[in-house]
PDB file of all heavy atoms in Angstrom:
ATOM      1  N   GLU A1024       0.808  -1.211   0.000  1.00  0.00           N
ATOM      2  CA  GLU A1024       0.000   0.000   0.000  1.00  0.00           C
ATOM      3  C   GLU A1024       0.841   1.261   0.000  1.00  0.00           C
ATOM      4  O   GLU A1024       0.480   2.252  -0.649  1.00  0.00           O
ATOM      5  CB  GLU A1024      -0.927  -0.010   1.225  1.00  0.00           C
ATOM      6  CG  GLU A1024      -1.876   1.170   1.285  1.00  0.00           C
ATOM      7  CD  GLU A1024      -2.787   1.117   2.498  1.00  0.00           C
ATOM      8  OE1 GLU A1024      -2.635   0.166   3.300  1.00  0.00           O
ATOM      9  OE2 GLU A1024      -3.627   2.017   2.635  1.00  0.00           O
ATOM     10  N   VAL A1025       1.980   1.249   0.722  1.00  0.00           N
ATOM     11  CA  VAL A1025       2.819   2.446   0.785  1.00  0.00           C
ATOM     12  C   VAL A1025       3.310   2.833  -0.599  1.00  0.00           C
ATOM     13  O   VAL A1025       3.262   4.007  -0.993  1.00  0.00           O
ATOM     14  CB  VAL A1025       4.004   2.214   1.744  1.00  0.00           C
ATOM     15  CG1 VAL A1025       4.940   3.414   1.733  1.00  0.00           C
ATOM     16  CG2 VAL A1025       3.501   1.942   3.153  1.00  0.00           C
ATOM     17  N   GLN A1026       3.771   1.856  -1.387  1.00  0.00           N
ATOM     18  CA  GLN A1026       4.252   2.159  -2.732  1.00  0.00           C
ATOM     19  C   GLN A1026       3.115   2.526  -3.670  1.00  0.00           C
ATOM     20  O   GLN A1026       3.249   3.427  -4.501  1.00  0.00           O
ATOM     21  CB  GLN A1026       5.021   0.956  -3.284  1.00  0.00           C
ATOM     22  CG  GLN A1026       5.530   1.129  -4.716  1.00  0.00           C
ATOM     23  CD  GLN A1026       6.455   2.315  -4.857  1.00  0.00           C
ATOM     24  OE1 GLN A1026       7.603   2.275  -4.474  1.00  0.00           O
ATOM     25  NE2 GLN A1026       5.944   3.404  -5.424  1.00  0.00           N
ATOM     26  N   ASN A1027       1.985   1.861  -3.534  1.00  0.00           N
ATOM     27  CA  ASN A1027       0.859   2.145  -4.425  1.00  0.00           C
ATOM     28  C   ASN A1027       0.274   3.534  -4.204  1.00  0.00           C
ATOM     29  O   ASN A1027      -0.267   4.141  -5.126  1.00  0.00           O
ATOM     30  CB  ASN A1027      -0.227   1.086  -4.241  1.00  0.00           C
ATOM     31  CG  ASN A1027       0.251  -0.297  -4.637  1.00  0.00           C
ATOM     32  OD1 ASN A1027       1.141  -0.443  -5.471  1.00  0.00           O
ATOM     33  ND2 ASN A1027      -0.350  -1.326  -4.048  1.00  0.00           N
ATOM     34  N   LEU A1028       0.394   4.055  -2.989  1.00  0.00           N
ATOM     35  CA  LEU A1028      -0.113   5.384  -2.700  1.00  0.00           C
ATOM     36  C   LEU A1028       0.872   6.483  -3.065  1.00  0.00           C
ATOM     37  O   LEU A1028       0.503   7.662  -3.069  1.00  0.00           O
ATOM     38  CB  LEU A1028      -0.459   5.506  -1.211  1.00  0.00           C
ATOM     39  CG  LEU A1028      -1.652   4.678  -0.718  1.00  0.00           C
ATOM     40  CD1 LEU A1028      -1.789   4.783   0.786  1.00  0.00           C
ATOM     41  CD2 LEU A1028      -2.933   5.142  -1.405  1.00  0.00           C
ATOM     42  N   THR A1029       2.105   6.111  -3.369  1.00  0.00           N
ATOM     43  CA  THR A1029       3.149   7.092  -3.648  1.00  0.00           C
ATOM     44  C   THR A1029       3.424   7.140  -5.138  1.00  0.00           C
ATOM     45  O   THR A1029       3.568   6.099  -5.785  1.00  0.00           O
ATOM     46  CB  THR A1029       4.443   6.731  -2.897  1.00  0.00           C
ATOM     47  OG1 THR A1029       4.141   6.546  -1.520  1.00  0.00           O
ATOM     48  CG2 THR A1029       5.473   7.830  -3.017  1.00  0.00           C
ATOM     49  N   GLU A1030       3.513   8.333  -5.675  1.00  0.00           N
ATOM     50  CA  GLU A1030       3.769   8.483  -7.112  1.00  0.00           C
ATOM     51  C   GLU A1030       5.183   8.071  -7.468  1.00  0.00           C
ATOM     52  O   GLU A1030       5.417   7.436  -8.501  1.00  0.00           O
ATOM     53  CB  GLU A1030       3.527   9.933  -7.525  1.00  0.00           C
ATOM     54  CG  GLU A1030       3.714  10.181  -9.021  1.00  0.00           C
ATOM     55  CD  GLU A1030       3.436  11.617  -9.400  1.00  0.00           C
ATOM     56  OE1 GLU A1030       3.097  12.416  -8.498  1.00  0.00           O
ATOM     57  OE2 GLU A1030       3.560  11.941 -10.595  1.00  0.00           O
ATOM     58  N   ASP A1031       6.164   8.421  -6.615  1.00  0.00           N
ATOM     59  CA  ASP A1031       7.554   8.072  -6.877  1.00  0.00           C
ATOM     60  C   ASP A1031       7.836   6.639  -6.461  1.00  0.00           C
ATOM     61  O   ASP A1031       7.129   6.044  -5.641  1.00  0.00           O
ATOM     62  CB  ASP A1031       8.496   9.013  -6.116  1.00  0.00           C
ATOM     63  CG  ASP A1031       8.340  10.463  -6.539  1.00  0.00           C
ATOM     64  OD1 ASP A1031       8.105  10.679  -7.741  1.00  0.00           O
ATOM     65  OD2 ASP A1031       8.419  11.360  -5.677  1.00  0.00           O
ATOM     66  N   THR A1032       8.891   6.090  -7.041  1.00  0.00           N
ATOM     67  CA  THR A1032       9.392   4.779  -6.610  1.00  0.00           C
ATOM     68  C   THR A1032      10.233   4.982  -5.360  1.00  0.00           C
ATOM     69  O   THR A1032      11.288   5.625  -5.406  1.00  0.00           O
ATOM     70  CB  THR A1032      10.236   4.128  -7.713  1.00  0.00           C
ATOM     71  OG1 THR A1032       9.442   3.980  -8.889  1.00  0.00           O
ATOM     72  CG2 THR A1032      10.753   2.763  -7.268  1.00  0.00           C
ATOM     73  N   VAL A1033       9.765   4.462  -4.238  1.00  0.00           N
ATOM     74  CA  VAL A1033      10.417   4.715  -2.959  1.00  0.00           C
ATOM     75  C   VAL A1033      11.157   3.468  -2.475  1.00  0.00           C
ATOM     76  O   VAL A1033      10.849   2.339  -2.869  1.00  0.00           O
ATOM     77  CB  VAL A1033       9.400   5.177  -1.895  1.00  0.00           C
ATOM     78  CG1 VAL A1033       8.854   6.546  -2.235  1.00  0.00           C
ATOM     79  CG2 VAL A1033       8.254   4.177  -1.767  1.00  0.00           C
ATOM     80  N   ILE A1034      12.140   3.721  -1.615  1.00  0.00           N
ATOM     81  CA  ILE A1034      13.000   2.675  -1.064  1.00  0.00           C
ATOM     82  C   ILE A1034      12.872   2.697   0.453  1.00  0.00           C
ATOM     83  O   ILE A1034      12.782   3.760   1.072  1.00  0.00           O
ATOM     84  CB  ILE A1034      14.471   2.886  -1.476  1.00  0.00           C
ATOM     85  CG1 ILE A1034      14.595   2.982  -2.995  1.00  0.00           C
ATOM     86  CG2 ILE A1034      15.354   1.766  -0.956  1.00  0.00           C
ATOM     87  CD1 ILE A1034      14.213   1.720  -3.722  1.00  0.00           C
ATOM     88  N   ASN A1035      12.881   1.509   1.066  1.00  0.00           N
ATOM     89  CA  ASN A1035      12.890   1.424   2.529  1.00  0.00           C
ATOM     90  C   ASN A1035      14.282   1.782   3.036  1.00  0.00           C
ATOM     91  O   ASN A1035      15.265   1.119   2.710  1.00  0.00           O
ATOM     92  CB  ASN A1035      12.528   0.018   2.991  1.00  0.00           C
ATOM     93  CG  ASN A1035      11.128  -0.383   2.566  1.00  0.00           C
ATOM     94  OD1 ASN A1035      10.294   0.465   2.273  1.00  0.00           O
ATOM     95  ND2 ASN A1035      10.875  -1.678   2.532  1.00  0.00           N
ATOM     96  N   ILE A1036      14.366   2.808   3.849  1.00  0.00           N
ATOM     97  CA  ILE A1036      15.630   3.271   4.403  1.00  0.00           C
ATOM     98  C   ILE A1036      15.543   3.208   5.923  1.00  0.00           C
ATOM     99  O   ILE A1036      14.620   3.773   6.524  1.00  0.00           O
ATOM    100  CB  ILE A1036      15.973   4.701   3.957  1.00  0.00           C
ATOM    101  CG1 ILE A1036      16.058   4.784   2.439  1.00  0.00           C
ATOM    102  CG2 ILE A1036      17.273   5.164   4.597  1.00  0.00           C
ATOM    103  CD1 ILE A1036      17.194   3.987   1.837  1.00  0.00           C
ATOM    104  N   PHE A1037      16.510   2.522   6.537  1.00  0.00           N
ATOM    105  CA  PHE A1037      16.617   2.516   7.994  1.00  0.00           C
ATOM    106  C   PHE A1037      17.620   3.583   8.399  1.00  0.00           C
ATOM    107  O   PHE A1037      18.789   3.539   8.009  1.00  0.00           O
ATOM    108  CB  PHE A1037      17.067   1.146   8.509  1.00  0.00           C
ATOM    109  CG  PHE A1037      17.338   1.135   9.998  1.00  0.00           C
ATOM    110  CD1 PHE A1037      16.290   1.190  10.899  1.00  0.00           C
ATOM    111  CD2 PHE A1037      18.633   1.058  10.491  1.00  0.00           C
ATOM    112  CE1 PHE A1037      16.523   1.189  12.263  1.00  0.00           C
ATOM    113  CE2 PHE A1037      18.876   1.042  11.848  1.00  0.00           C
ATOM    114  CZ  PHE A1037      17.824   1.110  12.743  1.00  0.00           C
ATOM    115  N   LEU A1038      17.171   4.563   9.177  1.00  0.00           N
ATOM    116  CA  LEU A1038      18.018   5.660   9.619  1.00  0.00           C
ATOM    117  C   LEU A1038      18.409   5.414  11.071  1.00  0.00           C
ATOM    118  O   LEU A1038      17.583   5.562  11.970  1.00  0.00           O
ATOM    119  CB  LEU A1038      17.280   6.991   9.480  1.00  0.00           C
ATOM    120  CG  LEU A1038      18.091   8.235   9.791  1.00  0.00           C
ATOM    121  CD1 LEU A1038      19.161   8.447   8.727  1.00  0.00           C
ATOM    122  CD2 LEU A1038      17.196   9.457   9.888  1.00  0.00           C
ATOM    123  N   PRO A1039      19.657   5.019  11.346  1.00  0.00           N
ATOM    124  CA  PRO A1039      20.060   4.698  12.721  1.00  0.00           C
ATOM    125  C   PRO A1039      20.310   5.954  13.544  1.00  0.00           C
ATOM    126  O   PRO A1039      20.514   7.043  13.013  1.00  0.00           O
ATOM    127  CB  PRO A1039      21.352   3.896  12.516  1.00  0.00           C
ATOM    128  CG  PRO A1039      21.927   4.461  11.257  1.00  0.00           C
ATOM    129  CD  PRO A1039      20.758   4.827  10.384  1.00  0.00           C
ATOM    130  N   THR A1040      20.306   5.780  14.853  1.00  0.00           N
ATOM    131  CA  THR A1040      20.623   6.858  15.773  1.00  0.00           C
ATOM    132  C   THR A1040      22.039   6.689  16.311  1.00  0.00           C
ATOM    133  O   THR A1040      22.615   5.609  16.248  1.00  0.00           O
ATOM    134  CB  THR A1040      19.630   6.889  16.946  1.00  0.00           C
ATOM    135  OG1 THR A1040      19.631   5.602  17.600  1.00  0.00           O
ATOM    136  CG2 THR A1040      18.228   7.177  16.460  1.00  0.00           C
ATOM    137  N   THR A1041      22.586   7.759  16.826  1.00  0.00           N
ATOM    138  CA  THR A1041      23.934   7.771  17.402  1.00  0.00           C
ATOM    139  C   THR A1041      23.829   7.875  18.917  1.00  0.00           C
ATOM    140  O   THR A1041      23.059   8.697  19.424  1.00  0.00           O
ATOM    141  CB  THR A1041      24.728   8.962  16.847  1.00  0.00           C
ATOM    142  OG1 THR A1041      24.797   8.856  15.426  1.00  0.00           O
ATOM    143  CG2 THR A1041      26.130   9.006  17.392  1.00  0.00           C
ATOM    144  N   PRO A1042      24.594   7.100  19.701  1.00  0.00           N
ATOM    145  CA  PRO A1042      25.608   6.117  19.275  1.00  0.00           C
ATOM    146  C   PRO A1042      25.084   4.685  19.196  1.00  0.00           C
ATOM    147  O   PRO A1042      25.866   3.771  19.041  1.00  0.00           O
ATOM    148  CB  PRO A1042      26.636   6.232  20.403  1.00  0.00           C
ATOM    149  CG  PRO A1042      25.811   6.489  21.615  1.00  0.00           C
ATOM    150  CD  PRO A1042      24.650   7.336  21.157  1.00  0.00           C
ATOM    151  N   ASN A1043      23.764   4.513  19.316  1.00  0.00           N
ATOM    152  CA  ASN A1043      23.177   3.179  19.290  1.00  0.00           C
ATOM    153  C   ASN A1043      22.517   2.947  17.936  1.00  0.00           C
ATOM    154  O   ASN A1043      21.389   3.407  17.712  1.00  0.00           O
ATOM    155  CB  ASN A1043      22.151   3.026  20.417  1.00  0.00           C
ATOM    156  CG  ASN A1043      21.514   1.656  20.434  1.00  0.00           C
ATOM    157  OD1 ASN A1043      22.036   0.706  19.848  1.00  0.00           O
ATOM    158  ND2 ASN A1043      20.380   1.533  21.103  1.00  0.00           N
ATOM    159  N   PRO A1044      23.189   2.266  17.006  1.00  0.00           N
ATOM    160  CA  PRO A1044      22.609   2.085  15.673  1.00  0.00           C
ATOM    161  C   PRO A1044      21.503   1.050  15.607  1.00  0.00           C
ATOM    162  O   PRO A1044      20.906   0.869  14.550  1.00  0.00           O
ATOM    163  CB  PRO A1044      23.818   1.651  14.827  1.00  0.00           C
ATOM    164  CG  PRO A1044      24.704   0.949  15.788  1.00  0.00           C
ATOM    165  CD  PRO A1044      24.525   1.651  17.114  1.00  0.00           C
ATOM    166  N   THR A1045      21.215   0.350  16.722  1.00  0.00           N
ATOM    167  CA  THR A1045      20.132  -0.632  16.698  1.00  0.00           C
ATOM    168  C   THR A1045      18.764   0.023  16.765  1.00  0.00           C
ATOM    169  O   THR A1045      17.756  -0.619  16.480  1.00  0.00           O
ATOM    170  CB  THR A1045      20.285  -1.622  17.849  1.00  0.00           C
ATOM    171  OG1 THR A1045      20.267  -0.899  19.105  1.00  0.00           O
ATOM    172  CG2 THR A1045      21.610  -2.378  17.730  1.00  0.00           C
ATOM    173  N   SER A1046      18.692   1.279  17.166  1.00  0.00           N
ATOM    174  CA  SER A1046      17.431   2.019  17.159  1.00  0.00           C
ATOM    175  C   SER A1046      17.476   3.066  16.058  1.00  0.00           C
ATOM    176  O   SER A1046      18.550   3.498  15.641  1.00  0.00           O
ATOM    177  CB  SER A1046      17.183   2.696  18.516  1.00  0.00           C
ATOM    178  OG  SER A1046      18.199   3.652  18.773  1.00  0.00           O
ATOM    179  N   GLY A1047      16.317   3.475  15.603  1.00  0.00           N
ATOM    180  CA  GLY A1047      16.284   4.446  14.519  1.00  0.00           C
ATOM    181  C   GLY A1047      14.889   4.611  13.957  1.00  0.00           C
ATOM    182  O   GLY A1047      13.893   4.353  14.639  1.00  0.00           O
ATOM    183  N   PHE A1048      14.822   5.023  12.690  1.00  0.00           N
ATOM    184  CA  PHE A1048      13.553   5.331  12.043  1.00  0.00           C
ATOM    185  C   PHE A1048      13.483   4.600  10.703  1.00  0.00           C
ATOM    186  O   PHE A1048      14.501   4.388  10.045  1.00  0.00           O
ATOM    187  CB  PHE A1048      13.415   6.833  11.809  1.00  0.00           C
ATOM    188  CG  PHE A1048      13.633   7.669  13.042  1.00  0.00           C
ATOM    189  CD1 PHE A1048      14.881   8.194  13.306  1.00  0.00           C
ATOM    190  CD2 PHE A1048      12.610   7.899  13.934  1.00  0.00           C
ATOM    191  CE1 PHE A1048      15.105   8.959  14.439  1.00  0.00           C
ATOM    192  CE2 PHE A1048      12.813   8.657  15.067  1.00  0.00           C
ATOM    193  CZ  PHE A1048      14.064   9.190  15.327  1.00  0.00           C
ATOM    194  N   LEU A1049      12.263   4.265  10.313  1.00  0.00           N
ATOM    195  CA  LEU A1049      12.008   3.692   8.996  1.00  0.00           C
ATOM    196  C   LEU A1049      11.464   4.791   8.102  1.00  0.00           C
ATOM    197  O   LEU A1049      10.417   5.373   8.388  1.00  0.00           O
ATOM    198  CB  LEU A1049      11.016   2.534   9.084  1.00  0.00           C
ATOM    199  CG  LEU A1049      10.534   1.971   7.744  1.00  0.00           C
ATOM    200  CD1 LEU A1049      11.703   1.404   6.936  1.00  0.00           C
ATOM    201  CD2 LEU A1049       9.478   0.893   7.960  1.00  0.00           C
ATOM    202  N   LEU A1050      12.190   5.089   7.025  1.00  0.00           N
ATOM    203  CA  LEU A1050      11.798   6.140   6.093  1.00  0.00           C
ATOM    204  C   LEU A1050      11.540   5.534   4.725  1.00  0.00           C
ATOM    205  O   LEU A1050      12.221   4.589   4.324  1.00  0.00           O
ATOM    206  CB  LEU A1050      12.897   7.203   5.984  1.00  0.00           C
ATOM    207  CG  LEU A1050      13.367   7.846   7.287  1.00  0.00           C
ATOM    208  CD1 LEU A1050      14.499   8.833   7.002  1.00  0.00           C
ATOM    209  CD2 LEU A1050      12.218   8.549   8.003  1.00  0.00           C
ATOM    210  N   PHE A1051      10.566   6.092   4.017  1.00  0.00           N
ATOM    211  CA  PHE A1051      10.291   5.702   2.639  1.00  0.00           C
ATOM    212  C   PHE A1051      10.733   6.865   1.751  1.00  0.00           C
ATOM    213  O   PHE A1051      10.029   7.870   1.648  1.00  0.00           O
ATOM    214  CB  PHE A1051       8.809   5.379   2.450  1.00  0.00           C
ATOM    215  CG  PHE A1051       8.303   4.316   3.386  1.00  0.00           C
ATOM    216  CD1 PHE A1051       7.562   4.656   4.513  1.00  0.00           C
ATOM    217  CD2 PHE A1051       8.581   2.981   3.151  1.00  0.00           C
ATOM    218  CE1 PHE A1051       7.100   3.681   5.372  1.00  0.00           C
ATOM    219  CE2 PHE A1051       8.127   2.003   4.011  1.00  0.00           C
ATOM    220  CZ  PHE A1051       7.391   2.348   5.127  1.00  0.00           C
ATOM    221  N   VAL A1052      11.890   6.731   1.134  1.00  0.00           N
ATOM    222  CA  VAL A1052      12.545   7.825   0.422  1.00  0.00           C
ATOM    223  C   VAL A1052      12.504   7.534  -1.074  1.00  0.00           C
ATOM    224  O   VAL A1052      12.781   6.411  -1.503  1.00  0.00           O
ATOM    225  CB  VAL A1052      14.003   7.981   0.891  1.00  0.00           C
ATOM    226  CG1 VAL A1052      14.665   9.184   0.232  1.00  0.00           C
ATOM    227  CG2 VAL A1052      14.055   8.111   2.408  1.00  0.00           C
ATOM    228  N   PRO A1053      12.163   8.521  -1.893  1.00  0.00           N
ATOM    229  CA  PRO A1053      12.232   8.317  -3.346  1.00  0.00           C
ATOM    230  C   PRO A1053      13.627   7.918  -3.789  1.00  0.00           C
ATOM    231  O   PRO A1053      14.626   8.417  -3.262  1.00  0.00           O
ATOM    232  CB  PRO A1053      11.830   9.692  -3.914  1.00  0.00           C
ATOM    233  CG  PRO A1053      11.018  10.323  -2.838  1.00  0.00           C
ATOM    234  CD  PRO A1053      11.594   9.841  -1.545  1.00  0.00           C
ATOM    235  N   ARG A1054      13.679   7.023  -4.750  1.00  0.00           N
ATOM    236  CA  ARG A1054      14.966   6.510  -5.214  1.00  0.00           C
ATOM    237  C   ARG A1054      15.877   7.635  -5.715  1.00  0.00           C
ATOM    238  O   ARG A1054      17.092   7.592  -5.521  1.00  0.00           O
ATOM    239  CB  ARG A1054      14.739   5.486  -6.324  1.00  0.00           C
ATOM    240  CG  ARG A1054      16.008   4.840  -6.855  1.00  0.00           C
ATOM    241  CD  ARG A1054      15.703   3.969  -8.052  1.00  0.00           C
ATOM    242  NE  ARG A1054      14.901   2.819  -7.676  1.00  0.00           N
ATOM    243  CZ  ARG A1054      15.396   1.661  -7.258  1.00  0.00           C
ATOM    244  NH1 ARG A1054      16.712   1.502  -7.172  1.00  0.00           N
ATOM    245  NH2 ARG A1054      14.599   0.668  -6.953  1.00  0.00           N
TER     246      ARG A1054
END
């Protein structure tokens, strides 16, 4: 659904936090 609702072709990007890279955010960023 996320891709179908978005006009651009998006990629799943995991954005880690500092200094603990095991936590972070899930972003859907255009290619």
Side-chain angles (χ1 to χ4, degrees):
E1024 183 179 2
V1025 176
Q1026 178 59 77
N1027 296 333
L1028 292 174
T1029 307
E1030 182 179 0
D1031 298 324
T1032 301
V1033 292
I1034 305 296
N1035 298 339
I1036 301 294
F1037 174 73
L1038 185 69
T1040 56
T1041 301
N1043 180 18
T1045 59
S1046 63
F1048 307 94
L1049 172 62
L1050 305 178
F1051 304 102
V1052 184
R1054 182 187 293 272

